[in-house]
Amino acid sequence: DVQLQAFGGGLVQSGESLRLSCRVDAFRSADYAIGWFRQAPGKDREGVSCIDTYDSRTYYADSVKGRFTISTDNAKNMVYLQMSSLKPADTAVYYCAANAGRLWDSMCSAPNDYPMDYWGKGTLVTVSS
């Protein structure tokens, strides 16, 4: 099994930046697709950004393109989400997740219908106006 834990959430003002980190506790994290997801109160879980560690292909939700960047450090079993130009609409609990196998866009774009295999505890990001 794979264990994941997200870190780095906090309270920031609109327009500021924040970097989230996720430790992936697995034998070989490079064999997985990994993603960042978020859920705001009263709303469904939303895919933010995902990466296929096999070939580094990435996916971004339209709402975060140009503002968020996903990256990995396989040697350290870490995944990061660099968030810039944050907006109040970005306020949510952010989760990292992993799937055994290649990345399919639907795993990121429709996580409630096509969930990844493993989920970690989230970290809260609050953006004030």
Side-chain angles (χ1 to χ4, degrees), residues 31-93:
D31 295 334
Y32 294 85
I34 305 176
W36 286 97
F37 303 82
R38 65 188 183 187
Q39 188 166 22
K43 295 188 176 182
D44 291 335
R45 184 167 293 177
E46 175 188 18
V48 176
S49 182
C50 299
I51 186 168
D52 190 335
T53 59
Y54 180 80
D55 60 3
S56 298
R57 187 176 70 86
T58 58
Y59 172 92
Y60 291 94
D62 289 341
S63 60
V64 305
K65 286 182 179 177
R67 299 191 298 121
F68 292 9
T69 302
I70 189 171
S71 62
T72 64
D73 186 336
N74 292 337
K76 298 181 179 180
N77 290 338
M78 296 292 293
V79 183
Y80 306 99
L81 184 67
Q82 178 66 47
M83 306 184 294
S84 300
S85 301
L86 284 163
K87 308 173 182 179
D90 295 318
T91 296
V93 176

